[in-house]
Structures are given as C-alpha cells and as structure tokens.
Amino acid sequence: MFFKIGNHNFTVVGTDGAYTKPLRTDYVAISLGQTLDLLLEANQPPSHYYMAARIHAIGGQFVTIPATGVIEYVGSYTPPPSPLLPSFPEYNDSAASIGFTDQLKSLGDNVDVPKEVDETFFYTLTVNQSPCNESSCIASIRLLASVNNLTFLLPTNVDILTNYYRKMSGVYTTDFPDFPPTSFDYVYGKPPKNERASGFGTSVRMLEYNTTVEVVFQGTNLGSGVEHPMHLHGYNFYVVGSGLGNYDRVRDPASYNLVDPPLMENIAVPRNGWTAIRFKANNPGVWYIHCHFERHLSWGMAMVFIVKDGELPREKVLPPPPDMQRSGGEASSPPLVFGDPHTTVGKGEDAE
C-alpha cells in the first residue's frame, strides 16, 4: 500500500521493530505484514486533513479507491466541507515502491550484518500453472505457486516441529533445492511449457547452528509477474541489496550495502527483480519462510528452514507448545487452560 497524509510530511524512524535512520518523506510504501514507525508533526494550518492508503499492485484489476481517515486539528476554525485527498503514485508505480524501500537504512553504521556467508541460496518465486482435471474445476488449468519450482505441501498428520523434535520420520524431506532446477531469463523469457508446472513436496533446508546465510529471491515473469512480500519466521534479516532484472551473482554483490542495511522481517521482492537478505542462523527451531499474499501462501509459495541445536543449553530447539495444533486442526497435546486462577499468565498474555 501507498500511504500519505494530506499537506503533511512525516519522518520514518523504524521498520519491523528496528530503528532506521530518520527519513523525511511525504509517502511510504508498505508491504503485507510489514510495520513502519512514523513521526508526524502537526505543523499545518488548523483544519481537517485526509490520511489515506491506496493499493500498489501490478497485473489484473484492482479496487484503487483509497481507504481514508481524518486528522482533525484542535482549535477554533472553520473546517472544509471535505478534506482534500492527497495525490498518490500510480497504483502500478513500481519505481515509487522500490524507491522508498531503497532509502531505508539502519540507524547505526557498521551493523552486525554478516560480511561473509557460509551458505548462499538462490530462490525463484513463481506462480505456476497445473492441469486441473477434477470435476470441480471450472477451467483446464489451476494456479499454484512455488519456490525453486517446488510447491510446498503442508503435512496432513503431524507438524514439522513435532516431527523434528520427537525424532519421528516420514513427514518431510531434507532436500529442498538451493537453486532452481533450470535456469532461464526470469524477467523476459519463459521455459518450455512442459517445464512450467511445479513439483510438490514437504521439503526443508537444514542449517547448522550459527551458519551465516544469504538468500537471493528472484521474481519471475510467470503468472504475469508480481511483487512478493517474503517473510521469515524466527528471525530478523538484513536487506543487503535489490534490483530490477535478473540477478547477476558476479556483478550485483559489489553493490550490496554491508554498512547500514535495514533490519527487517518482511521484504517485498520487486516484480521481475531480485532482493538479497542475510542473517545468522542462531535461533534453533523450525522456521517457515513464505509469501505474505494469502493466495500465494495457500498455493504453496513457502519452504522451511530447520536450524539445528548449538552446544549451550540456551541454544536448543524448544519443544512444541502444549496447545500446538495438529495439521488436521486438533491439538497434538491437551490444550492450555486459559484463565486458570492458579496460573501467573495474565489476560493480556492469554489474548496474545
């Protein structure tokens, strides 16, 4: 979404709970699941002003009427019959979206971003087509989504965390590919039609404790090409680089920001472009990484990192919580009894 406040500028000071260098601007671009912290100074003539958000999207048809709220100054004045609506970038203006995100920098300099990495992964993000031969199909094809051409299937009986923690077998495989199975011009080309369908699997990538990781997300033009807001559970990551076109593993790393890259939990990968993130795998556990579009998530644009234990007691995978839901919807253990007067858990924590 693009967000603006009529006749006002504001200062961006944080994203996803991490401070940023103050950024003075009259609009922001915010992706699904992302948070931004803004400082607003009410320094305009007393009146009513719209604050408004409008969709940023590419491909297809969308409702572009803004969602609005009103800022009302206190004092004695005659308000206008209707506040003026702020002007927005065009709904499909990728340059405005990318241009804003590229200006976000960490508050400090020389932050603890990994300067060298142990593992480098190249993940293509794709909307795939697959034959649909069931009686419920309204067309001969259906849409799927994938990472490295693998559509993620959720387990049907036992969740991955329970399976891993209890050393069970048969729920997932550890062969998630580090690179796509075939290379092609991701921005302008298309693979042969028989290679556009994705494979299926519940596949994870194992990581040793304290491994330094780089993931390069590459958007593709299959499915008309859209931005994908990617989110990693269990971690913040540094966004060290991004660009339009195909990622060049020789040329593009030279442009990485390894001084003050923003620390984030969600990042919108540009349409037909790429984004590089880095993090240190120092939080043992089973961690989902996925597109924050619900459709793409339900279609399978996801995968899982399993970070192994370290040596110290505090560097161990925590057990599944007692009220962990089974993949089929039933609790895998007796549920917690919320509101028990003998517990120290408050109502606010219950709700959370």
Side-chain angles (χ1 to χ4, degrees):
M1 307 287 286
F2 292 120
F3 175 81
K4 295 190 73 171
I5 299 176
N7 285 18
H8 289 73
N9 291 332
F10 37 75
T11 304
V12 181
V13 296
T15 180
D16 290 344
Y19 286 116
T20 62
K21 287 183 171 66
L23 172 62
R24 189 77 168 167
T25 179
D26 69 340
Y27 81 97
V28 301
I30 184 169
S31 65
L32 283 75
Q34 184 184 9
T35 65
L36 290 170
D37 294 285
L38 313 178
L39 299 182
L40 171 67
E41 183 179 358
N43 56 6
Q44 296 300 302
S47 187
H48 292 181
Y49 298 92
Y50 267 133
M51 50 183 174
R54 189 169 82 160
I55 193 171
H56 166 54
I58 298 172
Q61 296 181 345
F62 305 91
V63 176
T64 59
I65 300 172
T68 57
V70 177
I71 292 177
E72 298 183 359
Y73 277 63
V74 299
S76 178
Y77 61 89
T78 302
S82 177
L84 290 176
L85 192 67
S87 61
F88 283 93
E90 291 297 321
Y91 75 93
N92 59 355
D93 189 345
S94 292
S97 174
I98 298 169
F100 169 78
T101 303
D102 284 349
Q103 295 180 78
L104 297 175
K105 312 292 181 187
S106 284
L107 181 61
D109 294 323
N110 197 28
V111 297
D112 60 347
V113 57
K115 304 300 192 293
E116 304 290 337
V117 293
D118 303 314
E119 299 278 8
T120 300
F121 308 134
F122 183 74
Y123 290 168
T124 53
L125 309 175
T126 305
V127 173
N128 305 82
Q129 295 181 354
S130 178
C132 194
N133 302 317
E134 301 171 8
S135 60
S136 59
C137 296
I138 61 174
S140 60
I141 60 171
R142 61 175 175 171
L143 296 178
L144 299 171
S146 66
V147 180
N148 277 358
N149 217 41
L150 187 66
T151 294
F152 188 80
L153 298 178
L154 291 171
T156 56
N157 295 315
V158 181
D159 60 89
I160 296 176
L161 173 59
T162 299
N163 184 272
Y164 176 70
Y165 187 81
R166 296 180 180 174
K167 297 181 173 57
M168 302 164 66
S169 62
V171 169
Y172 62 87
T173 62
T174 59
D175 57 351
F176 188 85
D178 296 344
F179 302 92
T182 59
S183 296
F184 63 98
D185 183 344
Y186 305 110
V187 176
Y188 299 108
K190 288 187 177 181
K193 194 169 185 178
N194 62 340
E195 296 180 9
R196 296 180 199 174
S198 59
F200 297 87
T202 307
S203 184
V204 310
R205 182 56 163 85
M206 307 296 297
L207 295 174
E208 298 294 332
Y209 181 78
N210 258 352
T211 299
T212 52
V213 179
E214 175 178 306
V215 178
V216 178
F217 297 111
Q218 173 71 59
T220 70
N221 70 347
L222 296 181
S224 298
V226 296
E227 291 188 356
H228 296 289
M230 299 302 293
H231 173 52
L232 171 61
H233 292 205
Y235 288 90
N236 299 91
F237 49 75
Y238 287 102
V239 181
V240 297
S242 66
L244 296 176
N246 294 303
Y247 175 76
D248 187 314
R249 62 184 179 87
V250 175
R251 179 193 64 213
D252 288 325
S255 66
Y256 282 1
N257 176 7
L258 300 180
V259 176
D260 59 353
L263 185 64
M264 305 176 74
E265 294 179 356
N266 303 268
I267 184 62
V269 179
R271 175 181 184 260
N272 290 345
W274 58 272
T275 297
I277 67 171
R278 287 185 176 185
F279 66 96
K280 179 179 282 190
N282 56 7
N283 185 15
V286 175
W287 304 116
Y288 207 27
I289 184 168
H290 62 89
C291 179
H292 237 299
F293 280 125
E294 285 295 327
R295 280 183 303 176
H296 295 177
L297 173 58
S298 67
W299 292 347
M301 189 175 287
M303 58 85 62
V304 168
F305 285 127
I306 295 183
V307 179
K308 297 180 181 180
D309 289 345
E311 296 181 358
L312 301 178
R314 60 182 175 84
E315 298 171 351
K316 307 299 181 184
V317 175
L318 295 176
D323 59 341
M324 182 75 172
Q325 294 294 305
R326 290 187 186 274
S327 297
E330 299 177 357
S332 55
S333 302
L336 291 175
V337 180
F338 291 136
D340 186 339
H342 301 292
T343 69
T344 59
V345 179
K347 291 183 177 178
E349 294 171 293
D350 287 353
E352 186 174 31

